[in-house]
Amino acid sequence: MKKYTIKDIAQLAGVSKGTVDRVLHKRGKVSEIALEKVTKILNEIDYRPNPIAKNLKNNKIYKLAVILPDAQKDSYWQPCTGAIKEVENEFQHFGIEIKKYVFDATETNTFIETSLEVIDTQPDAILMVPLFQKEASKIVAKCTENNIKVSTFNNFIDSNYSNNFIGQDLYQSGRVAAKLMDMLLKKGTIGIIHIDEDYQNATHLQEKEKGFRSYFKSLKNSNYKITTVNLNYKKSEVFNTSIQEFLEKNPTINGVFVTISKSYVVVEALKEKANTIAIVGYDLVKKNIDYLKQGQIDFLIHQNPKQQVYLGLSYLVEHFLFDKQIPSQLLLPLDIINSENIEGYLT
């Protein structure tokens, strides 16, 4: 196929090269007649601009910010740094600048302070974890006011201002966890354990619990009792005591569903009882993997934070560089991990 230049198009349309340039880049004034002539030729030759050449000519540096919880306090977020570096390396010659900002996942005010700090730097886009629903909604709205694109990952936020969401169907993941628990137990008492987060303001935990409970409600003959507890892990001694008190109040518990990546702290608190209680949780953090291999955790649902960040940043970068449309939502598969297939996820 012939590669048409601006000069070729100008000659075919009977206009100047400057007019064609203004039409292609949507800048400056063009008469209706000239616009019709150029558009007609573009349609006839199926003209497609070279986005790479366009960007190199533009010579603009696009600034992206990633806001996520501190991996030093929760190892679940560690793979996100690797994803950021991968995107930086992939697009290093295209004028992309990515900076990472972290907040304490247990402190709402640190999320607000960090987000406002990022907004003050005026990035072109922000990829963020909207861990706190109400506060995140306000931050996203403020970004829109400042002409900053926002993409979210891991936790869904119901906002008209967010450009897209990448993660999993959290309600469905709760149902998957329930199905796994049903396969393990057939009957009994199940404890849903939320750890270190404000449940009333944590939509992701609510969705997982709703999905989990909905599965058992849909069973024709359910022989289960389900109870929920919200616990804090800032001090392991206090947490361990809270677990023991929870078991004393519910002595028939034979299954536990842990809604975040800290299944390992439940195993450590249960001690020898962990061998008699079925545990279904989330995420491939090191201690979870160790206990999964030892048989003290039965199943983990892999949320793949690295892939979420990689895709979220890639969509934003390709939007700015190549004018690609950002999808409103991308739901990742619900990978079920047990001791038999774990090695395939560690390579």
Side-chain angles (χ1 to χ4, degrees):
M1 293 179 64
K2 176 178 172 60
K3 293 184 178 180
Y4 290 88
T5 65
I6 288 180
K7 181 180 179 181
D8 294 330
I9 297 169
Q11 290 177 345
L12 290 169
V15 298
S16 69
K17 291 190 293 184
T19 297
V20 175
D21 181 78
R22 288 192 293 274
V23 172
L24 291 176
H25 298 99
K26 299 178 182 179
R27 59 190 177 204
K29 293 183 178 180
V30 178
S31 69
E32 288 291 334
I33 295 175
L35 179 60
E36 287 180 9
K37 288 181 178 180
V38 174
T39 302
K40 181 175 181 292
I41 296 300
L42 292 177
N43 290 334
E44 288 177 358
I45 66 175
D46 191 23
Y47 177 79
R48 297 179 184 181
N50 184 333
I52 296 177
K54 175 186 174 183
N55 181 68
L56 292 174
K57 183 179 179 181
N58 191 28
N59 202 30
K60 175 178 171 58
I61 301 296
Y62 291 100
K63 297 192 300 179
L64 277 63
V66 182
I67 305 175
L68 70 163
D70 189 350
Q72 297 297 318
K73 297 183 178 182
D74 186 347
S75 59
Y76 167 72
W77 304 103
Q78 284 179 352
C80 297
T81 299
I84 294 171
K85 289 180 179 178
E86 283 186 19
V87 175
E88 285 179 324
N89 291 336
E90 190 172 336
F91 295 98
Q92 61 181 322
H93 300 300
F94 291 87
I96 297 296
E97 180 183 289
I98 306 174
K99 288 189 177 181
K100 181 181 74 174
Y101 299 81
V102 300
F103 62 92
D104 187 340
T106 65
E107 299 290 341
T108 308
N109 64 307
T110 66
F111 167 74
I112 298 172
E113 291 169 1
T114 301
S115 300
L116 292 176
E117 174 191 343
V118 173
I119 291 173
D120 285 342
T121 68
Q122 281 295 300
D124 294 285
I126 294 174
L127 177 66
M128 65 182 287
V129 181
L131 207 58
F132 309 102
Q133 183 79 17
K134 291 184 293 186
E135 291 76 12
S137 296
K138 293 178 182 178
I139 291 297
V140 172
K142 188 171 182 64
C143 287
T144 302
E145 292 174 7
N146 286 269
N147 199 31
I148 300 171
K149 289 191 176 297
V150 179
S151 290
T152 61
F153 72 99
N154 200 78
N155 300 26
F156 178 76
I157 178 174
D158 188 10
S159 170
N160 294 326
Y161 300 110
S162 177
N163 293 102
N164 86 321
F165 166 70
I166 295 175
Q168 294 180 335
D169 184 330
L170 301 178
Y171 178 87
Q172 194 61 37
S173 79
R175 288 188 61 89
V176 169
K179 174 67 174 180
L180 294 171
M181 191 68 76
D182 186 28
M183 292 167 57
L184 292 166
L185 301 179
K186 298 304 179 186
K187 64 178 180 179
T189 302
I190 302 170
I192 300 176
I193 300 181
H194 304 301
I195 304 172
D196 281 351
E197 295 186 31
D198 176 9
Y199 178 78
Q200 298 302 321
N201 196 19
T203 305
H204 60 295
L205 300 186
Q206 295 172 17
E207 287 300 303
K208 288 175 181 177
E209 180 170 346
K210 286 178 184 176
F212 191 86
R213 288 181 176 274
S214 76
Y215 171 84
F216 288 104
K217 286 181 181 177
S218 67
L219 296 180
K220 291 182 179 179
N221 297 303
S222 179
N223 296 312
Y224 294 98
K225 174 185 175 184
I226 301 175
T227 183
T228 301
V229 64
N230 304 303
L231 300 177
N232 191 295
Y233 189 68
K234 288 186 177 180
K235 293 183 178 180
S236 59
E237 301 83 5
V238 176
F239 180 81
N240 292 350
T241 300
S242 298
I243 286 287
Q244 296 306 320
E245 290 175 351
F246 180 59
L247 291 179
E248 289 172 6
K249 290 180 182 178
N250 302 276
T252 58
I253 279 184
N254 58 344
V256 168
F257 172 43
V258 185
T259 57
I260 66 168
S261 61
K262 290 186 170 67
S263 294
Y264 64 90
V265 302
V266 174
V267 173
E268 292 168 352
L270 291 174
K271 298 179 182 178
E272 66 277 0
K273 291 182 180 178
N275 295 315
T276 61
I277 295 178
I279 298 177
V280 176
Y282 287 88
D283 308 316
L284 303 186
V285 301
K286 186 181 183 306
K287 286 190 175 182
N288 280 353
I289 293 169
D290 292 341
Y291 288 126
L292 185 75
K293 290 180 177 180
Q294 295 169 25
Q296 292 175 295
I297 294 176
D298 295 278
F299 290 103
L300 292 170
I301 296 174
H302 184 29
Q303 298 184 103
N304 207 337
K306 182 176 182 179
Q307 187 181 17
Q308 291 184 39
V309 171
Y310 177 83
L311 290 172
L313 284 175
S314 296
Y315 282 137
L316 289 170
V317 169
E318 292 178 354
H319 169 74
F320 289 118
L321 295 183
F322 312 136
D323 295 325
K324 287 190 176 181
Q325 186 175 356
I326 302 173
S328 60
Q329 180 174 264
L330 178 65
L331 296 179
L332 301 183
L334 295 165
D335 290 342
I336 300 170
I337 317 298
N338 61 23
S339 58
E340 302 305 312
N341 67 349
I342 180 64
E343 294 298 333
Y345 286 86
L346 302 180
T347 56

